Amino acid sequence: MGAGGQMNVSATEKNVLKRVPVSKPPFGLGDLKKAIPPHCFKRSLARSLGSFFRDLVIIYTFYHLAANYITLLPQPLTYVGWPVYWLAQGCILMGFWLLGHEAGHNAISDYKWFDDAIGFFIHSVTLTPYFSFKYSHRSHHAHTNSLEYDEVYIPKRKSDTFFTEFLNNGPGNVFTLLLRTTLGLPLYLFFNTYGRDYEGFANHYLPQSAIFNDSERNQVVLSDVGIVAVLYGLYRIAVTQGIKWMVFLYGMPLFVMSCFFITLTYLNHAHPSIAHYDATEWDWIRGALSTIDRDFGPLMNWVFHDGPENHVIHHLFPTIPHYHASEARDAVKPMLGEYYKWDDTPMLKALWRDTVECIYVEPDENSENKGVYWYFK
């Protein structure tokens, strides 16, 4: 069973939605680090490569079964076989992508160049610009839940009437949910949708984008080269095998992966009980603690390398590898107390609830902390 299965599964909906404390915590990052066994910070190249090759073997196995056997099924059954393959392969690709994300945090090995090589490969084959995402994601970790400087999932304000009035209803919620989950990743990469408001065009593929500084632009070009190389390979496959072959065996699983990417990241950062902070209140540790661990069951936790259920500890110590994250999380939970947020609501139910409940943020009128913002609907 995944580590999440050992948590308090009797938590009521009321407790799940209870707001986290917003006062400065009585502990610091150093206190939390002392509570974690030292071996949790040690990266094992063998174990990391074990996860890498585990996913590669599963990806190839699913591909081999789909390419050679689904077409042999009676025609009606192919309408079941292909979606099952897309869903299964998309899940594994999401877990594979998460290893690339881990490489971007130098949590694979003790060698930064090796982590960058692994991450570059993984993210390129999943059409994510590795260095570009690495740099914007670094900014997200540095400014989590800052209304001015966080990099992604910046909440809307009540004054944005398009969201708070026009979309704040049943059909609007459905539209928002479908748009976010299906097109959210490409919209973010191409147009910085759901991201920070930069003074200038923000795009993860353009070296001159406002997201990056001058020292990063050459590596943004390298990220683009990786994407172009993969796209050319896909073009050659489409020419020799056919567009349908390429779409069914690669395109649709990648689309499912994209949907999972937005679902998981949204659920780790949006919740009715967590606060956002403006510049008068924000500090790093409270921002990092304003994230949510999610438990989606033993199988999904395994597929996603225990990522969604260890997101809080990941924001506190992003270089801890995934195979030590659960132990590190359990070590700091007693010290975190009410500052720790965990929710085991089923994925689809949580996705709908948080879409409906998390429309915009405003300060609580009954609170003295006017720089602390909560979700309202």
Side-chain angles (χ1 to χ4, degrees), residues 5 9 12 94 100 107 125 136 175 199 201 216 231 264 284 290 338 345 347 350:
V9 295
T12 65
M94 184 66 243
V125 298
S136 66
F175 172 79
E199 293 182 1
F201 184 59
E216 298 166 345
L231 289 175
L264 298 183
W284 183 85
S290 294
E338 291 186 328
T345 304
M347 182 184 295

Side-chain angles (χ1 to χ4, degrees), residues 178-301:
L178 291 178
L179 180 67
R180 179 188 292 128
T181 53
T182 57
L183 297 178
L185 180 55
L187 287 174
Y188 173 62
L189 294 177
F190 278 100
F191 305 107
N192 206 42
T193 307
Y194 310 116
R196 174 181 165 187
D197 184 15
Y198 284 94
E199 293 182 1
F201 184 59
N203 175 292
H204 280 75
Y205 299 96
L206 294 179
Q208 297 305 314
S209 170
I211 298 173
F212 313 114
N213 61 46
D214 290 340
S215 67
E216 298 166 345
R217 303 194 196 283
N218 287 338
Q219 289 183 305
V220 174
V221 174
L222 182 59
S223 299
D224 293 344
V225 170
I227 298 296
V228 170
V230 172
L231 289 175
Y232 178 75
L234 293 173
Y235 164 74
R236 298 303 305 171
I237 291 173
V239 169
T240 57
Q241 301 291 332
I243 294 178
K244 180 179 178 180
W245 187 97
M246 190 267 291
V247 170
F248 274 43
L249 286 165
Y250 175 80
M252 290 303 297
L254 192 70
F255 172 74
V256 172
M257 186 214 81
S258 175
C259 296
F260 270 114
F261 172 89
I262 292 297
T263 298
L264 298 183
T265 55
Y266 177 74
L267 290 178
N268 279 138
H269 292 94
H271 198 275
S273 69
I274 65 167
H276 288 72
Y277 303 88
D278 69 17
T280 66
E281 283 282 349
W282 183 86
D283 60 62
W284 183 85
I285 194 165
R286 282 189 293 170
L289 290 173
S290 294
T291 56
I292 311 98
D293 281 352
R294 301 278 189 168
D295 180 12
F296 298 129
L299 179 59
M300 298 296 274
N301 292 339

